[in-house]
Amino acid sequence: MLQSAGTMLKTVIDTILPPACLGCRQPVTGMGNLCADCFSEITFISDPLCNLCGLPFQTPVAPDTLCGNCIARRPVFSRARAATIYGGKARDIILALKHGDRTDMAPYLARWLLRAGQDLITPETIITSVPLHASRLRHRKYNQAGLLASALGREAGCDVINNLIIRSRKTRSQGGLTGRGRHRNVSGAFRISDRHVGKIDNAPVLLIDDVFTTGATVEASARTLYRAGARDVAVLTLSRVVIMD
């Protein structure tokens, strides 16, 4: 009965508000879908990729291959994956979520995350998100990474603890900084919330953010989670910056 009522409600909503493409708002066949044009402008990441950081390779490699960056300096987190390459329509969608109040997109984008990060998730996984500083959160009204984490938790059936990490020091925007500058900028900027101390002891944690650029922010967050007792910290982002040779 409840399922029938839910189906009826969805039919009514779809009739009043026809499904629109996430990228351009043109009519599509289902909620959360992309039109053919927008789909063609998004590069979804798949194998082959670095077994550790998830950087896509242009040629086939062995499953356990690491990229040059991970060989030179192993990241703090155990593994990282991303759904898309940052740029084009993927960039437009992320900016709409982040700055355009398109919070309605989070449940659909969480499905992208689930496909990209299914190997990182177990029934015991605790999902959390990279935090915003309180002043930035007041200005923006919401944390897009937190919205994605909550939506992913519902999709995956995992516990979610948003606000597990606190950004205790206001940092400047990472935009325009070098890789080394980004690491310095977020060094020591995070701590575990007092009310969540002990909640991730010996637990696998999945850290969610919108974009992976150099990895500085997620590495600083991962250090904080390990210090708080996490057994494993993996990273999952909606997109990642890839510089093609």
Side-chain angles (χ1 to χ4, degrees):
M1 184 69 178
L2 288 176
Q3 185 176 7
S4 297
T7 301
M8 290 175 61
L9 179 60
K10 181 180 183 301
T11 301
V12 172
I13 292 174
D14 287 351
T15 301
I16 299 172
L17 298 173
C21 172
L22 289 179
C24 67
R25 309 300 292 271
Q26 293 299 309
V28 289
T29 57
M31 296 295 289
N33 289 352
L34 294 164
C35 70
D37 287 342
C38 287
F39 183 83
S40 69
E41 294 180 27
I42 297 176
T43 302
F44 289 92
I45 296 175
S46 60
D47 290 334
L49 42 76
C50 172
N51 188 51
L52 204 164
C53 77
L55 179 73
F57 292 124
Q58 297 182 34
T59 57
V61 296
D64 58 350
T65 300
L66 302 186
C67 68
N69 288 337
C70 288
I71 292 173
R73 177 187 169 277
R74 194 174 185 88
V76 173
F77 49 77
S78 62
R79 282 189 296 168
R81 296 292 182 267
T84 67
I85 291 178
Y86 188 68
K89 192 57 67 172
R91 177 181 180 275
D92 293 345
I93 289 172
I94 291 170
L95 291 179
L97 170 69
K98 190 171 184 175
H99 300 298
D101 293 329
R102 290 295 312 279
T103 58
D104 58 290
M105 296 196 297
Y108 307 113
L109 298 177
R111 297 173 188 172
W112 297 9
L113 289 173
L114 185 60
R115 286 195 296 270
Q118 56 187 337
D119 292 341
L120 307 179
I121 301 172
T122 70
E124 294 78 32
T125 297
I126 295 174
I127 299 174
T128 191
S129 55
V130 171
L132 294 175
H133 188 266
S135 61
R136 189 164 294 169
L137 183 59
R138 284 193 298 270
H139 174 74
R140 191 177 295 171
K141 308 302 183 187
Y142 61 90
N143 177 7
Q144 71 282 356
L147 294 178
L148 292 170
S150 295
L152 178 61
R154 290 190 293 271
E155 287 285 333
C158 292
D159 290 337
V160 179
I161 309 178
N162 277 319
N163 305 314
L164 172 61
I165 309 171
I166 291 176
R167 193 182 290 249
S168 54
R169 176 170 59 80
K170 186 176 182 180
T171 57
R172 62 172 290 191
S173 171
Q174 295 279 66
L177 297 178
T178 64
R180 186 171 297 178
R182 285 171 176 259
H183 281 277
R184 284 198 301 266
N185 189 41
V186 295
S187 178
F190 302 103
R191 67 176 178 84
I192 293 294
S193 168
D194 292 340
R195 66 192 181 97
H196 293 311
V197 170
K199 291 186 179 180
I200 59 170
D201 285 350
N202 202 37
V205 178
L206 181 61
L207 179 66
I208 305 299
D209 204 2
D210 53 355
V211 181
F212 183 113
T213 304
T214 64
T217 300
V218 292
E219 284 206 71
S221 299
R223 285 191 185 91
T224 302
L225 293 167
Y226 277 123
R227 286 197 296 267
R231 180 174 79 244
D232 178 83
V233 179
V235 173
L236 181 59
T237 60
L238 198 55
S239 203
R240 73 168 291 158
V241 174
V242 175
I243 300 174
M244 307 299 287
D245 294 334

